[in-house]
């Protein structure tokens, strides 16, 4: 227990978390600090490329085993099922209507890649290894939840909310293509490729993550200001309970799959995190009547900070306990 | 100089709807349009600003089409079908153009 | 399609004045507006271009408000009070809008 | 408020032609204009989008000039001479401005 | 004396100064070379974050002493008083009117963070240490000068030029929040935090500074072309004499405070430099009748290059002479 | 022969080439992956600055010899003459009209700096040295081809297509100024300057090149989709034969000049590559009636990928054979 607190404290005073806090602070005092949209996009391209590439190199290093396929399968199933749990929990805890609840549920089945990146950076600083293919699992978990959310909405009605264009947009959205693509590049070029570009994707990585989280803090803070009045206490409680619930499901899967401590943390983080890029975009197209303030504020303003600050150390403690680490 | 009467239609719409809107207006027989970036705005669904968003879900843009008067109605119908359930604004102005053969 | 008469007001103003202008027009009862980025321009105070500036002090932008005709005068008064001492341009056009209930 | 009749001329043109166009309209006696960035568009020469280009050769932009009615014709002549062989669109709207002494 | 020239020459042929010269050249021959606005902003976010963080880590390393508080106080006082000297000097040397002279004066009381960064990079390349908290002094010197400038304008009239919104904008402007925030982060995470992100904020630092100065050169060059006709010989002379005057005031303060050689150089540089971001923005709001060409051309087109090329080596020579270095 | 294939394979599975392939793939499946314009510009500023600087440092290191002047001269002549060959070949192979053929020809006389950078990165990974001044040759080869293209168009007609503004735009375009400028900075500051900024321009170089080529892949892919119907088989064949032809001319010049293996590869690459920045812009101004889809698709969609994937290893094999390497 004391360990958890020590780890949480150490996590809290890392440059990464404090950069997020700085962004949050700047937004809440309405400073004009802002990261241009093009730069935010560049930072996210960098992070996706680096994390995908490293994952691929690590798989090239250690070889592919059955774990990869099974983990992908587990990820897809979790992504598809978690929305139902989220939907139920949200309807119980708050008075949010069916449509908005379904939209929110889709976000929690899917994943947040920055939360994933933050977890890998905690692993790195602790010197804990993880399965490289967890990056591929992350990609696989992005989309299934969207289908579940739409099914929850159209159940009983005649909703044809998915067209083939939207399908293509979801499955081939930029983040997935870049993440999977750089994973494959990393796998194909292996440690030699890593040597070529480690001065770019390894050395400055944590620093870039800081700037990215500074921007996330700004965005989350502005979202909180705009959205706090749309969320009651029940919804906010959901934003904290749901990631913990998700992480436990992820924990169970990780045990079944026999993942390492690092892999367990990452799978827990994936199932605990909520999407704030791919799913919102799909929801704007497929469920325009749903209120983006609700799902963005929950995902970015409540669950993301919770995971970053408290969730990840908690999940890591659990993963270590289970793996005798 | 010789100018010709036309209509300028300005549609402010969410970024995620861009390709759906342009496909719809192309299907309505409109071949020319210009897309302008939008910094931010305010409306019934609240305020937003480009710098404060990380999610592709929130940006907006403007599609400006200049059309011959007789093409206005099909264009508005097509645009309306896309904009209907979404946030956004459609605004039509009378205008004059050079080189009418282009529209 | 059924359209409704409205006024399109386009205000070109310095970036530093953005929040002051939008606050003023909100106080005048206008709830909808769209902000467009500006690349550069020229006027009585000389030329400028976005790429050539490092200082937040120099950029401009455009605020476009579409309002019912009866709201035009309060809007112009509010805008003028802000623009008065500053560089910038206010331009009003007649237009037609779909979905009049939004304005 | 007291407004004055004017013309709003909106010229959509290739980025590479920007300085040639602004020089031409300045020579025609127009001193004020605003340049807006363009995200993408479609026309007789096909579609393009800012994100998908690496070459400075392809971008477009809009030059908006507000002028007194009597300056419209020289402006259009000057603009046309530049736009003539190039892709692009010229669109004129009636408008009203505050502070007429500026135009 | 020979040393000053050697140092000046060495300073002159550094990549940093030559990059500025390249930008200047490109602007003066009207090349279309340009750095996109979003990128310029990203570079400045990077520099502020890095310089703040390093300052914080250095304070964490050496501990806080009374010097910090006294230096902050000295900075605030200098920032508030220098505008009066600048105002007087400018009125004597040129025929610029009261309003514009006050606007210019405000710029010279405040500081230019890039000039500060350039001075730290000279210190680094010479291996001279400085008090880490000078970064905080820089932040503290940004705003007071604005008040003095407005007081100079409204003296005798009924000018209510400051409203609470402008106050908030000045005190919470992005640069100050980022600089102070990253200073605190650096202080909180200390050398350990530095280890995490030094691959980002140390290794590529000077190179990024080069690109930033390339852009500054472009901007300064364009400003010169646009603004040179608004400045007479008197005003240009002011743009050279004023930084030297400021640096001497800073030198006096540094002696009183007992700063190290490095700290002395930095305080001299702060008082010698003129703002080109925070103050111009405040002036556009509070003094829209003042002509931005005058103050931007003086600050960016005359004083900034002077400080970068000749001022910093001069101040360093003086600082070394005084500290027996 | 086996060596060529081995080298080609090794080249193919490098992060650099695979990143290009990823961008191409993403564009062809119409993913919404995109690199913001400002970021693409920043990447290209970085690459130009780094490659120019390194070239300058290398010349400072090895001293200037007669080779520099002669190579510049050879480059200018090749740039001016290759368009005539290209024009003839294209008219023979395809039915593209005189005007468009001339426009295309101008592109092939000029150079593509990214292809050049990709070649230098292959040299680096193979540990092969090259004359640093090849960077200056690259700059010298940008413009002459444009004149030849315009001469080809106006031959016999009264075409006054060049005005002094266009002249200035071409000779002082941003890429040339930045490349030559950073070459001079590198030359002036030498190895000492390199030490200052190598953490910025050396360590992350290959990684940045990957992201740039990702974007090039996206652009090339979109260009192919848009432009493929304007190119017949003949034109596509031209897009492959012309770089090989150019490379052979470059090879001959390199032999005459007595360049090293590395220098030979670079000169071959320069003459084999086709412009996609400076020349298209000039053509839009001077030859607005020419169809940009034709020249951009050929240059970016056919010749660039060919050079990157097959051309460079081929040219290197030839250069090594000739130099007994
Ligand atoms: N009256 C208006 N004038 C100009 N733009 C508007 C207006 N109303 C809405 N908009 C734009 O349309 C977006 C969505 O509006 P709404 O559907 O009312 O939330 C806003 O963010 C503005 O960019
Ligand atoms: N006649 C005009 N037409 C369009 N925009 C103008 C006009 N005059 C001024 N502007 C814009 O307003 C800004 C400030 O103008 P000014 O107050 O005349 O310096 C310019 O930089 C332009 O962006
Ligand atoms: N009817 C139109 N309405 C609005 N913009 C147009 C129209 N036609 C062309 N444009 C713009 O002008 C550019 C060039 O058009 P074009 O010369 O037809 O290829 C397009 O990419 C659009 O940005
Ligand atoms: Na999840
Ligand atoms: Na100062
Ligand atoms: Na060539």
């Amino acid at each position: 227990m004391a360990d958890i607190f020590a780890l949480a404290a150490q996590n809290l005073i890392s440059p990464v978390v404090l950069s997020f806090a700085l962004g949050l602070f700047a937004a809440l005092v309405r400073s004009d600090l802002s990261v241009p949209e093009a730069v935010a996009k560049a930072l996210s391209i960098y992070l996706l490329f680096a994390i995908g590439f490293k994952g691929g190199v690590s798989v090239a290093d250690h070889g592919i085993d059955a774990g990869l396929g099974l983990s992908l399968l587990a990820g897809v199933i979790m992504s598809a099922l978690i929305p139902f749990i989220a939907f139920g929990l949200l309807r119980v805890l708050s008075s949010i209507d069916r449509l908005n609840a379904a939209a929110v549920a889709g976000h929690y089945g899917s994943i947040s890649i920055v939360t994933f990146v933050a977890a890998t950076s905690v692993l790195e600083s602790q010197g804990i290894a993880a399965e490289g293919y967890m990056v591929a699992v992350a990609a696989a978990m992005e989309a299934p939840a969207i289908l579940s959310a739409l099914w929850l909405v159209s159940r009983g009605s005649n909703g044809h909310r998915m067209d083939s264009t939207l399908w293509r947009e979801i499955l081939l959205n930029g983040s997935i293509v870049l993440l999977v693509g750089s994973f494959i590049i990393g796998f194909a070029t292996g440690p030699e490729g890593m040597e070529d570009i480690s001065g770019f994707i390894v050395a400055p990585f944590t620093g870039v993550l800081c700037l990215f989280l500074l921007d996330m803090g700004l965005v989350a803070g502005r979202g909180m200001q705009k959205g706090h009045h749309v969320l009651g206490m029940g919804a906010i409680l959901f934003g904290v309970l749901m990631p913990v619930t998700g992480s436990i499901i992820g924990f169970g899967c990780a045990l079944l799959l026999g993942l390492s401590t690092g892999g367990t943390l990452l799978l827990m983080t994936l199932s605990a995190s909520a999407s704030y890029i791919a799913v919102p975009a799909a929801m704007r197209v497929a469920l325009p009547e749903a209120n983006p303030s609700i799902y963005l504020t929950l995902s970015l303003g409540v669950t993301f900070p919770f995971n970053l600050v408290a969730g990840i150390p908690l999940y890591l403690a659990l993963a270590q306990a289970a793996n005798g680490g | 100089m010789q100018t010709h009467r036309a209509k300028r239609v300005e549609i402010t719409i969410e970024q995620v709807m861009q390709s759906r809107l342009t496909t719809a207006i192309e299907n309505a027989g409109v071949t020319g349009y210009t897309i302008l970036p939008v910094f931010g705005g305010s409306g019934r669904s609240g305020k937003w600003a480009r710098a404060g968003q990380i999610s592709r879900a929130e940006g907006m843009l403007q599609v400006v089409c200049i059309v011959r008067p007789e093409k206005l109605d099909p264009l508005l119908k097509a645009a309306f079908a896309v904009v209907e359930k979404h946030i956004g604004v459609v605004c039509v102005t009378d205008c004059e153009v050079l080189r009418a053969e282009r529209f």
Side-chain angles (χ1 to χ4, degrees), chain A, chain B:
Chain A
M1 205 58 196
D3 269 20
I4 301 190
F5 281 111
L7 181 62
Q10 189 188 335
N11 180 46
L12 273 176
I13 59 158
S14 73
V16 166
V17 171
L18 289 179
S19 295
F20 179 78
L22 176 57
L24 213 58
F25 169 82
L28 293 179
V29 300
R30 279 178 300 142
S31 163
D32 69 348
L33 180 61
S34 76
V35 176
E37 192 193 15
V39 177
K41 229 184 143 186
L43 295 176
S44 100
I45 288 174
Y46 171 86
L47 292 178
L48 288 166
F49 182 77
I51 200 86
F53 194 91
K54 288 181 201 171
V57 170
S58 145
V59 171
D61 235 5
H62 296 106
I64 306 187
D65 54 41
L68 171 55
L70 290 174
S71 298
L72 285 176
L73 190 68
V76 169
I77 293 174
M78 282 202 294
S79 172
L81 291 186
I82 287 178
F84 293 91
I85 300 170
F87 182 80
L89 190 61
L90 187 55
R91 295 281 281 173
V92 168
L93 288 175
S94 81
S95 57
I96 289 175
D97 66 18
R98 172 162 208 94
L99 180 87
N100 280 299
V104 168
H107 288 71
Y108 283 83
S110 185
I111 58 112
S112 146
I113 200 73
V114 202
T115 315
F116 180 80
V117 170
T120 62
S121 101
V122 167
L123 288 181
E124 246 166 62
S125 79
Q126 309 260 329
I128 303 174
E131 286 79 5
Y133 54 70
M134 293 311 295
V135 163
V137 177
M141 288 179 73
E142 282 228 36
I146 297 171
L147 286 185
S148 304
L150 297 183
W151 191 86
L152 277 165
V153 170
S154 61
R155 188 160 45 130
S157 85
N158 62 345
H160 293 294
R161 303 204 169 249
M162 289 294 284
D163 53 13
S164 67
T165 311
L166 183 55
W167 260 121
R168 224 214 28 251
E169 284 177 8
I170 293 170
L171 291 178
L172 294 174
N173 89 61
S175 326
I176 294 191
V177 168
L178 185 52
L179 193 64
V180 174
S182 54
F183 178 81
I184 295 174
I185 296 178
F187 179 69
T189 61
E192 240 173 279
M194 180 53 109
E195 211 174 289
D196 282 359
I197 65 172
S198 70
F200 180 61
I201 66 170
V202 176
F205 188 81
T206 312
V208 177
L209 183 58
C210 287
L211 283 199
F212 191 77
L213 283 175
L214 177 74
D215 186 43
M216 291 285 294
L218 287 165
V219 174
R222 297 223 171 88
M224 283 178 193
Q225 280 178 321
K226 218 168 89 176
H228 69 97
H229 57 274
V230 302
L231 296 185
M233 275 314 295
I236 293 172
L237 192 63
F238 167 85
V240 170
L241 286 186
M242 190 56 221
V244 176
T245 312
S247 78
I248 293 172
I249 299 173
F251 181 66
C253 279
L255 282 189
L256 288 177
L257 292 163
L259 296 180
S260 68
T261 305
T264 304
L265 172 67
L266 294 181
L267 197 62
M268 290 175 76
T269 302
L270 287 175
S271 44
S273 70
S275 171
Y276 67 94
I277 296 188
V279 181
M283 290 300 148
R284 283 314 294 151
V285 174
L287 297 182
E289 314 88 331
N291 182 352
S293 290
I294 297 178
Y295 50 72
L296 284 175
T297 308
L298 266 177
S299 162
L300 255 176
V302 181
T303 298
F304 177 73
F306 170 77
N307 275 329
L308 186 70
V309 168
I312 293 176
L314 196 75
Y315 312 152
L316 180 55
L318 195 56
Q320 284 179 317
N323 287 272
Chain B
M1 290 191 68
Q2 169 73 10
T3 59
H4 309 267
R5 303 195 48 190
K7 296 284 184 177
R8 180 183 186 275
V9 181
E10 179 182 289
I11 307 169
T12 308
I13 195 173
E14 291 170 86
Q15 228 156 281
V16 287
M17 299 305 293
Q18 173 183 336
S19 63
R20 284 170 181 81
L21 177 65
T22 55
T23 306
I25 64 184
E26 281 163 15
N27 290 343
V30 172
T31 56
Y33 52 82
T34 296
I35 302 177
L36 303 180
V38 172
F39 238 21
S42 176
R44 297 184 315 162
S45 52
K47 280 193 192 191
W48 71 276
R50 190 160 290 279
Q53 58 159 121
I54 216 157
S55 161
R56 188 174 72 93
E58 276 195 300
M60 304 202 73
L61 39 77
Q62 270 190 358
V63 178
V64 177
C65 307
I66 297 160
V67 291
R68 294 163 180 268
E70 61 268 26
K71 278 201 193 159
L72 178 62
D73 218 55
L75 168 58
L76 289 185
K77 286 216 175 80
F80 187 68
V82 177
V83 179
E84 203 181 355
K85 287 196 183 160
H86 286 265
I87 63 174
V89 168
V90 179
C91 157
V92 184
T93 328
D94 289 318
C95 68
E96 308 267 323
V97 292
L98 298 181
R99 308 200 279 187
E101 68 285 2
R102 304 196 143 222
F103 297 92

